[in-house]
Amino acid sequence: MSLTKQTSSISGRKEKDQVLQELGDVTIVGQVLSPEEDRRILRQIDMKLLPVMAISYLFQFLDKAALGYTAIMTLRTDLDISGSEYSWASGIYYIGYLGAAYPVGWLFVRLPVAKVIFGSILIWGVILMLTSVCVNTGGLLANRFFLGTAESAVGPGLTLIVAMWYKRSEQPLRHGAWFMGNVVAGIFGGVVAYGVGHVESIAPWKAVFLVFGALTIVWSVAVFFFLPDTPMSAPFLKPEDRFKAILRVQENMTGIKNNTWKRSQSIEALLDIKLWLLFIIQLAQQIANGGVQGFGSIVIKGFGFSTLNTLLVQMIGQVFQLVFVLICTAGSTFLSNTRTFFMAWNLGCAIVGAAMIRQINNENIWARFMGYCLNIAYSANFPMILAMVSGNVGGFTKKSTANAMIFIAYCAGNIIGPHLFFDDEAPSYPSGFLSMMVCYGFAFVACFALRFYLVWENRRRDRTSSREVLSEEEEVNVNLADMTDKEMVRFRYVY
């Protein structure tokens, strides 16, 4: 055995022993759950975790979408915001998010995951309510920056939770399930914004921020009590079921939780080709997302809808998003190794949608709106990319670094996107939609490049592992050892 493998084996045994101490006097190696027990544990996990994760993401989407909702009220005139300043108000949120991405990854290693998420939600709820006291562009920009900083923990945190609790085959559907909070928020937020839009005692845009912020603070308390940090500390599971929750995901070989930041794993993530391909896909589609999030309401109103009707018809777009998410997450769950195909399909639909908005005559309002609905297909790739990370990256520090990379791409794209929508082209923004089509096309090609690389790597590993004989000592349950996917010769990638 090489020195590197020997060191990894020793480290792995230490990490395994650390987890077993938390579980008590149990032996995990060689034990297998019956199908009935497996399904029973999965049902308990789904019932307790998925609603909490989905509602948490619902509130994050509401907070981001609030700027778009209020942009068609009196926010821009009351604060005297120009077109370029509004673009910065949309983009600076992601600068704050970007700056916090790597520190948040470090916090997830050093602190309990659920408690970091709780603190994030509580703080951003307060910041969102404070938006109502902004009196000029500078105040709004500062507020949006700190809002982005506070919200940077939720997406990566939920990704880590799915990786800890679910088998790789189950992860796309569960990522899609909590991402549904995004869809429900689009409907719920539109209805609430429509109702608040009739407020007369204060400016309607101020009421939107106050209501959304207060609801977020209330929800943070629920997260504190109902979201566990790890399977070993889940209050809704009996002690023996906590052991079974770990046992059922041992095939993942991607780890549970480790409290030590490992520099070597972080460097390995930064040198991993598959992660950079996912980074490119995420960056390209989030450039488009920056435009949709910041200017979607303005574009739809420009089709010919009234202000309040714009808030209502946007809900139709969210229904389309729901359909796209269900198709790709369910399809990739039941059809093995089709994730990159579904991602490419979503991007193809988005290209068609952006072209329809840009090219169809202004008189055809509903045809252009249908283009908007198809354009939203790209957003279904968000849970797919997270599932690719959680299912293909081993080692807790490496996984945290990978999540930081993906969310850095998320932020960078959303910073760039609003600045491709030029004020003198409002409300149709032809240059903005042309840039969307280019980005979608680039990401489409990257999906097939990623698929080719992962297939090639699996075949290379098949040839290598066929010549290796693993010792009995190396047959320990590697899912309890904090080892990376590159350190485990038996690891195979999903694509």
Side-chain angles (χ1 to χ4, degrees), residues 287-288 291 354 358 417-422 425 428-440:
I287 290 174
R358 189 176 189 273
H419 296 284
L420 300 177
F421 283 67
F422 305 120
E425 293 183 347
S428 58
Y429 301 108
S431 298
F433 285 100
L434 177 61
S435 66
M436 280 188 183
M437 294 165 64
V438 172
C439 289
Y440 293 145

Side-chain angles (χ1 to χ4, degrees), residues 346-369:
N346 290 333
L347 291 164
C349 291
I351 292 173
V352 173
M356 290 173 65
I357 297 173
R358 189 176 189 273
Q359 299 301 130
I360 292 177
N361 291 332
N362 295 340
E363 293 77 16
N364 299 314
I365 295 175
W366 285 104
R368 298 185 73 198
F369 180 73

Side-chain angles (χ1 to χ4, degrees), residues 246-259:
I246 294 176
L247 182 62
R248 68 180 301 276
V249 297
Q250 62 180 331
E251 66 187 49
N252 289 1
M253 297 190 291
T254 54
I256 300 294
K257 176 71 166 75
N258 188 275
N259 296 326

Side-chain angles (χ1 to χ4, degrees), residues 36-154:
E36 293 76 16
E37 280 288 273
D38 188 277
R39 287 193 293 269
R40 181 181 68 82
I41 298 297
L42 178 61
R43 282 195 299 270
Q44 288 186 350
I45 295 170
D46 281 343
M47 291 175 62
K48 298 297 183 178
L49 291 188
L50 293 183
V52 177
M53 292 193 292
I55 296 174
S56 297
Y57 204 66
L58 177 152
F59 280 106
Q60 191 197 38
F61 180 85
L62 282 183
D63 296 346
K64 290 188 296 184
L67 185 66
Y69 293 144
T70 56
I72 57 175
M73 296 178 182
T74 59
L75 171 73
R76 291 184 293 171
T77 55
D78 288 354
L79 301 187
D80 193 24
I81 301 174
S82 67
S84 61
E85 288 171 339
Y86 178 75
S87 294
W88 274 112
S90 180
I92 201 170
Y93 166 96
Y94 296 98
I95 295 177
Y97 202 123
L98 177 63
Y102 198 83
V104 162
W106 183 87
L107 286 175
F108 278 130
V109 174
R110 302 295 298 176
L111 300 175
V113 173
K115 299 307 180 289
V116 176
I117 294 175
F118 152 73
S120 171
I121 297 175
L122 175 64
I123 293 170
W124 95 54
V126 173
I127 294 173
L128 194 67
M129 292 189 72
L130 291 175
T131 312
S132 62
V133 302
C134 294
V135 295
N136 54 38
T137 303
L140 181 64
L141 290 173
N143 178 274
R144 297 291 296 177
F145 174 85
F146 288 111
L147 184 66
T149 302
E151 293 188 16
S152 61
V154 172

